């Protein structure tokens, strides 16, 4: 196949590119490089991979499209509780605008689409199923703007199926692993890098927030191996996560410290003191996926939490977080 991955130099996107190349496919990467975690030089050297370093909007404005490709995976987006803050008031338009362009281009070329949404759309705590109602809180901070934008793209995909669009939506739950940068405000690479440097491990709020971490490799395996099955199923939206890896943020800090043999002190801090006054915690205090739709297709996560912590640590033992060079540590 020939696969288009928007945002293919970012964290999730680059893992998808690697997985498709490993499976023997050709890949076209379209990335503005705003959130890139890899420079793409290895992809440039691979004859099966083409890297186009521009936004998806500029790519389409130049008259390009998706004709001759076999599928599009749209991961390009501002992401991360810290990274999105710079786009306050513009973030919704960013998310919806790019998704709209991708949807129309897929319809024009009759190419199936996998669109990445977010577990943030649920807007509440609990064991979260794809069939559950979505709650929209009225505290309109940047994080809510992000969630509403992603919710609208889901509705656009589902409604466009009536126009002939073949598509699925992924709601990932706390994806982590090698290459993820602390620049986005992501907790796993932040804790791991702090522990490796014997710096204080900074736990925001009470530390009782529950998150269920899934390895990027497990996520990409779902997309690469099960997208065809998902397109042929009765479901459109798929939670992809690992409920067995559910843990409080404080317990995660303690586990990272223990596994890495770190001398770091664990401290509670206000996230606003690190990322500024507009930073907000997620509305989902306890965010754990129900894997009803994905498990029906035969997919199950394989990487446990300790493995995931060590995979992240092994990566950053030998590499700098270039994107996070100016992020708090």
């Amino acid at each position: 196949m020939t696969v288009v991955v928007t945002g293919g130099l970012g964290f999730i996107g680059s893992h998808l590119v690697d997985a498709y190349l490993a499976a023997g496919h050709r890949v076209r990467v379209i990335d503005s490089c705003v959130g890139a975690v890899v420079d793409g030089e290895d992809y440039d050297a691979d004859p099966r991979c083409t890297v186009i370093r521009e936004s998806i909007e500029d790519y389409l404005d130049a008259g390009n499209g998706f004709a001759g490709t076999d599928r599009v995976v749209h991961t390009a987006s501002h992401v991360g509780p810290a990274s999105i803050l710079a786009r306050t008031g513009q973030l919704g338009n960013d998310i919806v605008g790019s998704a709209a362009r991708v949807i129309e281009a897929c319809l024009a070329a009759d190419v199936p689409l996998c669109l990445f949404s977010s577990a943030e759309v649920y807007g509440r705590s609990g064991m979260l199923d794809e069939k559950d109602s979505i709650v929209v809180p009225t505290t309109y901070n940047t994080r809510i703007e992000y969630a509403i934008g992603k919710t609208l793209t889901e509705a656009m995909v589902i409604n466009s199926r009536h126009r002939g669009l073949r598509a699925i939506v992924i709601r990932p739950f706390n994806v982590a692993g090698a290459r993820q940068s602390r620049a986005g405000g992501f907790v796993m690479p932040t804790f791991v890098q702090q522990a490796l440097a014997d710096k204080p491990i900074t736990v925001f709020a009470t530390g009782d927030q529950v998150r269920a971490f899934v390895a990027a490799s497990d996520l990409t395996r779902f997309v690469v191996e099960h997208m065809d099955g998902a397109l042929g199923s009765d479901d459109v939206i798929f939670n992809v996560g690992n409920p067995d890896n559910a843990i409080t943020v404080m317990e995660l800090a303690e586990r990272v410290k223990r596994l890495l043999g770190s001398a770091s002190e664990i401290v509670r801090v206000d996230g606003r003191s690190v990322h500024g006054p507009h930073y907000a915690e997620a509305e989902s205090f306890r965010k754990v996926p129900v894997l009803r739709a994905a498990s029906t297709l035969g997919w199950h996560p394989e990487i446990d939490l300790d493995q995931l912590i060590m995979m992240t640590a092994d990566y950053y033992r030998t590499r700098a977080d270039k994107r996070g060079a100016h992020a708090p540590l």
Side-chain angles (χ1 to χ4, degrees), residues 58-298:
D58 288 345
Y59 173 81
L60 294 173
D61 284 344
N64 300 302
F66 301 140
T69 62
D70 296 287
R71 61 198 51 198
V72 174
V73 185
H74 183 47
T75 73
S77 177
H78 295 282
V79 65
S83 291
I84 62 175
L85 297 177
R87 299 299 297 171
T88 296
Q90 302 169 292
L91 186 60
N93 183 67
D94 294 341
I95 293 168
V96 174
S98 65
R101 298 293 304 277
V102 169
I103 288 169
E104 294 306 318
C106 286
L107 278 167
D110 190 24
V111 175
L113 168 66
C114 174
L115 180 137
F116 269 69
S117 179
S118 169
E120 294 266 332
V121 302
Y122 284 104
R124 61 177 182 81
S125 293
M127 297 291 297
L128 303 170
D129 185 280
E130 297 96 340
K131 297 294 186 182
D132 290 345
S133 296
I134 287 172
V135 176
V136 180
T138 55
T139 50
Y140 292 137
N141 55 43
T142 312
R143 204 149 182 168
I144 300 303
E145 183 181 355
Y146 174 82
I148 293 172
K150 289 294 188 179
T151 303
L152 183 53
T153 64
E154 293 186 1
M156 292 161 62
V157 165
I158 291 171
N159 290 339
S160 293
R161 283 164 57 95
H162 301 297
R163 300 192 291 148
L165 181 70
R166 293 173 290 152
I168 62 169
V169 172
I170 303 290
R171 288 179 182 165
F173 280 71
N174 292 94
V175 188
R179 298 183 194 151
Q180 189 175 43
S181 173
R182 70 178 188 275
F186 298 106
V187 65
M188 178 75 80
T190 299
F191 283 3
V192 165
Q193 290 180 52
Q194 288 171 336
L196 289 174
D198 289 328
K199 300 286 187 180
I201 298 175
T202 50
V203 175
F204 292 177
T206 65
D208 295 323
Q209 312 94 306
V210 175
R211 299 291 180 260
F213 295 90
V214 66
S217 57
D218 279 334
L219 170 65
T220 58
R221 183 166 48 82
F222 175 81
V223 177
V224 174
E225 296 181 5
H226 295 282
M227 182 172 168
D228 287 334
L231 287 167
S233 75
D234 293 330
D235 293 296
V236 180
I237 297 172
F238 294 82
N239 286 345
V240 179
N242 191 338
D244 291 338
N245 285 349
I247 189 171
T248 70
V249 172
M250 179 59 76
E251 289 169 340
L252 176 66
E254 294 167 347
R255 187 173 297 197
V256 167
K257 176 178 177 176
R258 175 176 55 82
L259 283 175
L260 302 187
S262 174
S264 294
E265 177 187 8
I266 298 174
V267 297
R268 286 192 178 93
V269 301
D270 184 342
R272 291 171 295 186
S273 69
V274 177
H275 297 302
H278 299 297
Y279 175 84
E281 291 292 324
E283 291 294 326
S284 300
F285 189 83
R286 181 172 182 265
K287 186 166 59 175
V288 181
V290 174
L291 302 180
R292 178 187 51 79
S295 61
T296 300
L297 298 177

